[in-house]
Amino acid sequence: MVTAAFGGEDEARLIAALDADGDTVVSLVAVEADEIVGHILLSGLAAPFPSLALAPLAVRPDHQRRAVGSALVRAAIQAGQVAGARAIFVLGDPDYYGRFGFGAAQARGFSSPYAGPHLMVLPLGGPLPVPTGRIDHAPAFAALV
């Protein structure tokens, strides 16, 4: 399903590596008629405060634009709060993730190999504890750079 959603193996390998390394914190699936049609993953992220990285989000091509991804993002945000994270960082489309409250402006103060207009953060439970610092994704992400 992930390979079909992305048209390649990179994200499926990322999921497998995050799982194998013990870096997966939350892994959720969307199911329809006993088939997995979507998946989202939150992994540990080294940051100045408890944080998670959202990636990847995958929806089977024949189920895209049917709110499956939105439901998964909302569920992941809630799961991140339950896990005690103060923020979730994502690298993605600002128009898409902006709908959920993710913003690039607040992420600009954080150094990362992924820094730029597509690195966004969503504070959970109040403002970010600090506006700057370094964030480091789990080692499995380095294979995608």
Side-chain angles (χ1 to χ4, degrees), residues 133-145:
R134 176 156 181 85
I135 59 169
D136 290 301
H137 285 70
F141 282 92
L144 295 179
V145 175

Side-chain angles (χ1 to χ4, degrees), residues 12-24:
R13 282 194 290 267
L14 173 62
I15 292 167
L18 289 167
D19 284 345
D21 294 345
D23 290 322
T24 298

Side-chain angles (χ1 to χ4, degrees), residues 1 29-39 60 62-63 68:
M1 192 281 310
V29 296
V31 177
E32 183 178 293
D34 295 328
E35 291 186 31
I36 295 175
V37 297
H39 176 260
R60 207 168 76 185
D62 62 335
H63 281 70
V68 173

